[in-house]
Amino acid sequence: MRKSVGLAGAAALALVTASTALPALAQSSPGIEQSQASRELTSIIADYEIWAAEQDPWTAATEGDRAALARLPDASREAELARREPLGRFRGRLAAINPASLSADERLNHALLSRSVALDLERIDLDRGRLAFDSEGGPETMASYLASSTRIANAADAEAWLSRLGQLASYYDTTLANARRGIATGMVQPRITAERVVTSTAAAARLTPETDPLMRPMASRPAAIDEAEWAALRRRALDLVNDQIMPARQRWAAFMTDEYLPASPSEPTAIGLGQRPGGREAYAFNARWYTTTEMTPDEIHQLGLSEVARIRAQMEQEMSAAGWNGSFADFLTFLRTDPQFYATSRDELMMHARDISKRADDQLPALFNTLPRLPYGVRPVPQEIEANYTTGRYNSGSAVNGIAGGYMVNTSSLDQRGLYELPALTLHEAVPGHHLQIALQQELGDLPWFRRNGDATAFVEGWGLYSEYLGYEMGIYRTPYERFGRLSYEMWRACRLVADTGIHWMGWDIEQARACFRDNSALSELNIQTELERYISWPGQALAYKIGELTILRLRRRAEAALGDRFNVRRFHDAVLLGGPLPMDVLEQRIDEWIATEQARTS
């Protein structure tokens, strides 16, 4: 694979030189220019995707790259800096193409790849790897996820897993070096984050072979491997865990306790990225990166405040529908404390999640023409990481590797997991939310690899939040409490806009940020705390959800108004989803073109 990248790079340099004469050629022979420009773009995309797959073995492996199954990414600063040269070459080659000489589809590919390359180059200068972990942990969390998503069916799969295990100690040490560079430059996580990760790293350093999640992929012998070979493979895995990975875990745990924690700022107003050297510049970039817009943090904050007011009025209506005559604050207390709203066992919570999932599955054909082939499972969050984990999550699967998507449900702290919120959570993480969108995206074989796997957080998370809205049309919310829970989840995302910008841009402390969630949503105290710590440690990501959802809803209403009774929601959803994850302005253009096509088709 590395040799292929080198050859592609050499071809790229030759093609840049050859393409410099194309604009002049267009004046006398536009047909020739179009052919050459199209061929050059095809070559750039092919070269870029070979290179990008080498940088991102996670994604490459899910799409059938067997060699990638045996690799971990290089997270070092040296590797990041080395990406500047090839990215610069791609930018130069793309700039040499006249977009007017391309077809409409090619122009879109050209624009999206140019945008992605430019943002990647800008991101390198920010050295974001210095924030080497977040509130959910560092390499130990990544390793647990990796183990849970690895399936061993034959000896080749086992060898690939052993190869990854052999690289994991180095991954730990790279993360440590990144974090140490953060200390040296003042780009560090605050104490509230560091303290949580100190706890999780210490727990990982105490694992035994019987409890180590890294041994789970080898818990049972596949039929394709005989007993003697399997015993030898397991022995090698145990040796890697005990001799290499455990010492690396212990180095990481000692570093977190002895070096990082003392360097973490503890002042209440020092939790935000804006309080670090270069932090305001980095946060403004994050806002653009995650929202795929040019909105400023101040504009995003004001949008959050207006959304809080709008959603609060709807919540008051559902509170009345539930027959509650007391105050809003007392209703929140009732929801947070009454036993009727809480499961009494982990199994019961999983049962409710699975029931909602199947009811959602039943309604999909009414709203979607195109559904993914890959199924999903409903799974508990692994207990070794559940304490720092959010209330739910989606883990993507891989059809080629025989792994279903996973709707992950946190079954710890049952008195903090209100059942009135579970329908919205399920719709967001499973279907029609993340599983439907991401699995379908993986199956869009007509799109280039870089578009199927594009990083447009506002699209992905906006779709998830829009899917919670679709629960009304699907008949998922059956009581005022569940409808209130849906609005509480929407309020959660509106408060994210307020709190994230407040913390990282305006210098708020955690109590100022907490007020929005505590006073306006039914989220439990544990969930509020977990979420706030997540926003503190992951600046800007929380901004994507509401902005993406509002864009999709606005475009749907525009289509409904333009098409009237000719509007077809199933075709609308195809228009949104079948282009892959798109920046918000590109999605808007795509839907406007779809509306025009629908008007012509039905006139």
Side-chain angles (χ1 to χ4, degrees), residues 176-501:
L176 191 155
N178 288 339
R180 187 170 278 153
R181 190 173 68 257
I183 294 174
T185 58
M187 185 58 76
V188 293
Q189 294 284 16
R191 182 168 292 265
I192 189 173
T193 303
E195 287 176 338
R196 185 174 283 271
V197 176
V198 162
T199 301
S200 66
T201 57
R206 293 191 300 268
L207 289 168
T208 66
E210 293 74 28
T211 61
D212 200 312
L214 298 180
M215 293 302 298
R216 284 182 191 153
M218 308 190 78
S220 57
R221 180 177 64 86
I225 305 177
D226 65 38
E227 291 186 11
E229 184 180 9
W230 184 244
L233 290 167
R234 277 186 53 83
R235 183 69 259 166
R236 288 167 57 195
L238 283 168
D239 288 345
L240 287 168
V241 170
N242 291 330
D243 299 341
Q244 296 184 25
I245 297 170
M246 185 55 74
R249 283 173 174 158
Q250 291 166 349
R251 289 193 296 272
W252 171 245
F255 163 78
M256 285 299 305
T257 301
D258 299 337
E259 295 185 46
Y260 203 96
L261 189 61
S264 298
S266 58
E267 298 83 0
T269 56
I271 58 175
L273 183 62
Q275 309 304 309
R276 309 288 178 268
R280 289 182 70 80
E281 175 188 6
Y283 187 70
F285 173 84
N286 286 359
R288 289 189 290 115
W289 174 275
Y290 286 116
T291 68
T292 72
T293 73
E294 295 299 317
M295 293 182 71
T296 67
D298 291 312
E299 291 170 337
I300 293 169
H301 189 84
Q302 290 303 312
L303 174 63
L305 292 174
S306 66
E307 281 294 283
V308 167
R310 179 187 66 81
I311 299 165
R312 176 65 180 263
Q314 294 182 5
M315 294 173 83
E316 298 274 2
Q317 294 175 6
E318 292 297 346
M319 186 177 72
S320 297
W324 187 264
N325 296 317
S327 69
F328 188 86
D330 287 344
F331 187 63
L332 295 183
T333 300
F334 167 65
L335 291 175
R336 289 169 178 158
T337 59
D338 195 289
Q340 69 174 299
F341 299 121
Y342 296 89
T344 58
S345 70
R346 292 175 184 262
D347 286 344
E348 183 189 352
L349 182 57
M350 292 299 296
M351 178 192 69
H352 286 295
R354 292 186 181 109
D355 175 69
I356 297 166
S357 296
K358 292 311 296 180
R359 288 199 288 120
D361 286 343
D362 185 53
Q363 296 301 312
L364 294 180
L367 293 175
F368 296 91
N369 275 328
T370 308
L371 295 171
R373 296 185 296 275
L374 185 72
Y376 69 96
V378 185
R379 308 169 190 155
V381 172
Q383 292 188 23
E384 69 270 7
I385 63 172
E386 66 184 8
N388 293 353
Y389 212 75
T390 53
T391 194
R393 190 73 58 85
Y394 174 70
N395 289 343
S396 58
S398 170
V400 294
N401 295 325
I403 300 169
Y407 164 34
M408 311 299 292
V409 181
N410 196 328
T411 59
S412 68
S413 303
L414 292 172
D415 62 345
Q416 303 290 301
R417 316 287 180 196
L419 294 175
Y420 48 83
E421 296 172 340
L422 194 57
L425 175 69
T426 302
L427 294 171
H428 185 112
E429 304 296 347
V431 295
H434 286 330
H435 174 71
L436 189 152
Q437 181 260 313
I438 292 172
L440 192 61
Q441 166 187 317
Q442 292 172 324
E443 296 171 11
L444 296 176
D446 292 338
L447 291 184
W449 183 91
F450 84 90
R451 283 186 58 185
R452 291 197 305 275
N453 299 290
D455 191 358
T457 308
F459 183 97
V460 175
E461 297 297 352
W463 177 264
L465 187 47
Y466 169 75
S467 295
E468 297 175 27
Y469 163 82
L470 289 179
Y472 290 116
E473 298 175 44
M474 299 168 72
I476 299 298
Y477 307 116
R478 298 184 293 190
T479 69
Y481 300 118
E482 291 182 346
R483 292 192 296 272
F484 190 95
R486 203 292 296 185
L487 290 169
S488 183
Y489 259 37
E490 188 179 12
M491 178 66 81
W492 168 22
R493 281 40 170 263
C495 286
R496 280 180 170 181
L497 302 183
V498 176
D500 201 88
T501 51

Side-chain angles (χ1 to χ4, degrees), residues 82-105:
R83 295 178 193 123
R84 183 178 282 138
E85 182 181 358
L87 284 169
R89 291 200 304 267
F90 287 125
R91 180 170 61 181
R93 292 176 67 189
L94 288 162
I97 294 177
N98 178 7
S101 63
L102 300 170
S103 69
D105 285 343

Side-chain angles (χ1 to χ4, degrees), residues 154-176:
N154 51 49
D157 291 340
E159 290 291 349
W161 179 238
L162 289 168
S163 177
R164 280 186 163 174
L165 289 179
Q167 299 164 57
L168 190 53
S170 176
Y171 192 93
Y172 266 94
D173 290 340
T174 296
T175 304
L176 191 155

